[in-house]
Amino acid sequence: MTDLKTNGNPDQIPDEPANRDLAKAAEKKQLSFDEQVEALNRFIHFEPLIREVDYKTLLFCETRRRLSEVEEAMAAFPEFKNATRDQFALITELVDHYGLAFYELDAAGNVVTEADKEGLTENEVDDLVVEFAYETTEVGRSVAERLDPRRRFAELVAAAPEREPLYRALMDLLREKRSFAEVDTYVRSAEGAAVLAEAGVGGMQPSVFVDKLERAGVLLYDGGWQTTEVGVEVLDDVRAAA
């Protein structure tokens, strides 16, 4: 059974998370809230292929969800096609890195606590626990805020404001799914070359900018490059404000 982490915010998650292997958990170094946030943030950024899956899972589980619900939602994320592990493994990693709280449920959907299991045999505990559930911790919420694509895109623009027109041009082009060859053709066109020159990056490979936008969470690859839903919202917000 996965090691379990407490949330540290009883007002946010009122029930007691399941907590097996207490001895093993006690041996693990106790981290402060800020240290847990940094640990989860590092973990999610360590593996780019599942970064957006982890982020969306944290958002989805802001309301407590049953395991089957979480697995179904994750399978529907377009980024999940590139995941290197199944849903349960990814969920368990988020529990292990303080992002999700883990609960055991009985047949009525109630949380099973250690007190409920006291005096029961292993078989009786197995009969009592019929399902798992997960809820984003305050650590997970903090990291999800950092990973908001709007925030990441704003930070990308702040790092090089002169490139903002280029970023927006590429995002606008990719409202419709396109191959990288089509992106390259645009960049090499008179219009694209003018945008690059304005940004002061003439001659740079378009893959550099596509990669930056993908890491910001406003582009994704799903059989072709396209702007994410949040990316489209970013573009539309700017147009509405103009």
Side-chain angles (χ1 to χ4, degrees):
M1 183 68 67
T2 303
D3 289 345
L4 309 169
K5 314 295 185 296
T6 58
N7 178 269
N9 187 338
D11 293 329
Q12 183 65 40
I13 300 180
D15 296 315
E16 176 188 350
N19 197 4
R20 290 186 179 178
D21 271 338
L22 294 176
K24 184 176 180 181
E27 293 172 1
K28 188 171 182 178
K29 179 182 177 182
Q30 296 299 308
L31 303 181
S32 68
F33 177 83
D34 289 342
E35 289 172 331
Q36 290 179 14
V37 168
E38 290 306 315
L40 177 61
N41 192 54
R42 285 195 304 271
F43 169 73
I44 289 179
H45 281 88
F46 180 76
E47 197 166 357
L49 285 177
I50 60 171
R51 181 185 55 234
E52 303 307 317
V53 174
D54 283 343
Y55 166 64
K56 291 182 176 181
T57 300
L58 292 176
L59 290 185
F60 183 72
C61 291
E62 286 185 350
T63 298
R64 189 178 302 169
R65 309 282 188 172
R66 296 173 185 268
L67 173 60
S68 57
E69 294 178 289
V70 184
E71 290 182 323
E72 183 177 355
M74 293 174 74
F77 299 156
E79 297 89 350
F80 183 72
K81 295 176 183 177
N82 297 319
T84 54
R85 295 177 293 287
D86 64 21
Q87 296 101 308
F88 186 72
L90 298 179
I91 293 167
T92 300
E93 288 170 352
L94 288 174
V95 173
D96 289 341
H97 290 85
Y98 315 102
L100 294 177
F102 166 61
Y103 300 88
E104 295 174 326
L105 306 180
D106 64 19
N110 299 313
V111 172
V112 176
T113 67
E114 290 302 310
D116 295 328
K117 293 185 260 184
E118 189 173 349
L120 299 182
T121 66
E122 184 174 345
N123 287 339
E124 288 172 333
V125 170
D126 289 340
D127 290 338
L128 177 62
V129 176
V130 300
E131 195 166 11
F132 299 152
Y134 301 85
E135 185 172 349
T136 303
T137 65
E138 285 303 304
V139 170
R141 289 172 186 268
S142 179
V143 171
E145 288 178 5
R146 292 189 183 189
L147 289 171
D148 185 332
R150 296 172 186 81
R151 178 171 178 170
R152 281 186 275 167
F153 180 71
E155 292 171 347
L156 181 63
V157 169
E162 70 279 2
R163 296 183 182 182
E164 183 174 8
L166 169 59
Y167 294 143
R168 295 193 183 283
L170 290 174
M171 292 163 64
D172 201 41
L173 174 73
L174 294 172
R175 285 176 182 265
E176 297 182 7
K177 186 181 297 186
R178 300 179 187 274
S179 67
F180 183 76
E182 291 177 290
V183 176
D184 187 66
T185 297
Y186 166 77
V187 169
R188 296 179 188 281
S189 69
E191 178 185 351
V195 175
L196 261 68
E198 180 183 352
V201 292
M204 287 187 67
Q205 294 297 316
S207 58
V208 173
F209 308 109
V210 170
D211 179 64
K212 288 180 180 294
L213 292 170
E214 189 275 334
R215 282 189 277 127
V218 294
L219 289 189
L220 67 86
Y221 185 83
D222 182 17
W225 287 100
Q226 64 184 113
T227 303
T228 63
E229 291 182 7
V230 175
V232 170
E233 290 174 5
V234 169
L235 288 174
D236 291 344
D237 286 347
V238 170
R239 289 185 176 181

